[in-house]
């Protein structure tokens, strides 16, 4: 039996564990407390619209090869009509243009797609070359916007199993088209308007925001298709979940065959023009 004066052993104290903290929530809390606290430099996209293109007449307007000197004007026009589009950007053009147009695309609900770094014919490159063309463009767009692209369009519509495999590895669905306005060849806003307004529900319309005549046609295209009851959607809005590596042509089977059988070769004959 121990003496009353003997020391009593203290109970072991468990080690302190810091509480789990969500870094994003902490940063937001500190930003509210301290207005000078640095906030994210990345743009914030609007909430998803939840459009069901099985019930609504949808059309996807797509613009390739930018951003360039006319892109800002095109964004102004799209904003007036509350229209959303998909921009397939070239990495070199992004590097020269800077972040402003890309960040505006995000904040106004447009979709950004990968159109390679240098507009190279991907099927003529090695696997490493394809990875470089797509990977560099993924990186620069992510650096400027904080977003990873999930769609790509192979330059000239030229793709094969190797391109599909690289696209799949990078989480990119391949987007072709069902309606080619040929605006890269016919620099006439009236002609571009007439061809673009021939869209049917589910059409993917191919245009280029590097051509002033295409941007001049934009308000006429938007006005006429709006009057015909169309809603202008991004590719992700049209299809929902897109499968990486898979090719999407729009909803019209004859157009799918035309895009697959004729247009790629025609466009490769005209490599001198940006397409």
């Amino acid at each position: 039996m121990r003496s009353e004066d003997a020391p009593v052993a203290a109970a072991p104290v468990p080690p302190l564990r810091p509480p789990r903290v969500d870094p994003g929530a902490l940063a937001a809390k500190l930003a509210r407390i301290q207005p000078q606290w640095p906030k994210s430099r990345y743009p914030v996209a609007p909430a998803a619209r939840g459009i069901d293109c099985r019930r609504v007449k949808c059309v996807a307007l797509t613009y390739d090869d930018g951003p360039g000197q006319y892109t800002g004007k095109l964004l102004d026009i799209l904003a007036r009509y509350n229209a959303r589009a998909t921009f397939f950007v070239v990495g070199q053009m992004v590097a020269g243009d800077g972040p402003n147009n890309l960040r505006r695309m995000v904040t106004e609900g447009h979709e950004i797609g990968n159109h390679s770094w240098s507009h190279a014919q991907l099927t003529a490159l090695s696997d490493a070359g394809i990875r470089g063309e797509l990977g560099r463009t993924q990186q620069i767009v992510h650096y400027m916007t904080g977003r990873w692209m999930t769609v790509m369009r192979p330059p000239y519509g030229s793709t094969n199993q190797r391109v599909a495999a690289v696209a799949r590895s990078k989480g990119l669905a391949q987007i072709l088209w069902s309606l080619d306005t040929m605006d890269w060849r016919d620099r006439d806003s009236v002609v571009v308007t007439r061809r673009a307004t021939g869209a049917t529900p589910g059409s993917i319309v191919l245009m280029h925001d590097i051509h002033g005549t295409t941007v001049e046609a934009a308000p006429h295209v938007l006005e006429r298709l709006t009057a015909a009851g169309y809603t202008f959607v991004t590719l992700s809005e049209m299809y929902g979940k897109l499968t990486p590596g898979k090719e999407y042509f729009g909803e019209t089977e004859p157009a799918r065959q035309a895009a697959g059988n004729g247009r790629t070769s025609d466009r490769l004959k005209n490599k001198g023009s940006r397409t």
Side-chain angles (χ1 to χ4, degrees):
M1 184 174 179
R2 70 177 177 82
S3 167
E4 293 295 333
D5 296 330
V8 179
V13 178
L16 294 176
R17 294 182 179 179
R20 293 182 179 178
V21 177
D22 175 28
L26 177 60
K29 180 179 179 180
L30 290 173
R32 290 193 297 270
I33 297 172
Q34 307 176 58
Q36 73 275 18
W37 187 265
K39 299 179 182 179
S40 173
R41 65 186 178 91
Y42 294 133
V44 177
R49 297 188 293 181
I51 295 171
D52 186 351
C53 290
R54 294 169 299 181
R55 300 176 179 274
V56 177
K57 289 173 64 177
C58 293
V59 61
L61 303 181
T62 67
Y63 295 91
D64 288 11
D65 293 0
Q69 61 177 319
Y70 305 112
T71 304
K73 181 179 179 180
L74 177 58
L75 289 169
D76 291 341
I77 296 167
L78 291 168
R80 290 205 303 268
Y81 287 85
N82 194 31
R84 296 186 185 181
T86 302
F87 290 84
F88 288 97
V89 300
V90 173
Q92 288 181 340
M93 298 293 284
V94 171
D97 188 66
N100 291 340
N101 279 320
L102 261 66
R103 292 177 180 175
R104 185 177 171 190
M105 289 173 192
V106 172
T107 59
E108 296 181 3
H110 304 293
E111 186 164 18
I112 304 174
N114 192 324
H115 199 41
S116 82
W117 179 260
S118 66
H119 206 274
Q121 182 190 342
L122 299 181
T123 55
L125 303 180
S126 65
D127 290 356
I130 300 169
R131 287 193 295 272
E133 284 282 331
L134 297 180
R136 290 181 71 186
T137 306
Q138 288 288 92
Q139 290 291 339
I140 194 170
V141 170
H142 182 261
Y143 175 76
M144 291 185 176
T145 68
R147 303 176 74 81
W148 293 108
M149 295 176 286
T150 59
V151 293
M152 63 85 77
R153 173 169 283 157
Y156 313 106
S158 180
T159 187
N160 58 20
Q161 292 182 348
R162 293 188 306 110
V163 174
V166 174
R168 184 163 51 250
S169 72
K170 295 189 177 297
L172 296 165
Q174 298 190 87
I175 307 297
L176 282 298
W177 56 86
S178 59
L179 196 164
D180 189 349
T181 62
M182 305 294 281
D183 61 337
W184 55 273
R185 185 191 68 188
D186 302 319
R187 311 288 178 84
D188 186 321
S189 62
V190 174
V191 172
V192 173
T193 299
R194 174 170 51 80
R195 290 174 179 160
T197 52
T200 56
S203 287
I204 299 175
V205 183
L206 172 61
M207 293 176 283
H208 300 78
D209 55 317
I210 60 170
H211 301 314
T213 46
T214 297
V215 176
E216 290 172 12
H220 306 291
V221 172
L222 292 164
E223 183 176 341
R224 294 183 190 181
L225 289 178
T226 297
Y230 281 92
T231 298
F232 305 99
V233 297
T234 66
L235 273 307
S236 292
E237 287 179 319
M238 177 176 284
Y239 286 105
K241 186 175 177 58
L242 291 150
T243 302
K246 180 179 176 179
E247 296 177 28
Y248 294 82
F249 295 84
E251 297 302 321
T252 308
E253 188 61 29
R256 176 187 298 230
Q257 295 171 354
N261 297 334
R263 290 181 182 168
T264 297
S265 59
D266 289 343
R267 293 164 78 79
L268 287 173
K269 292 175 184 176
N270 291 277
K271 286 182 66 176
S273 299
R274 294 301 296 267
T275 60

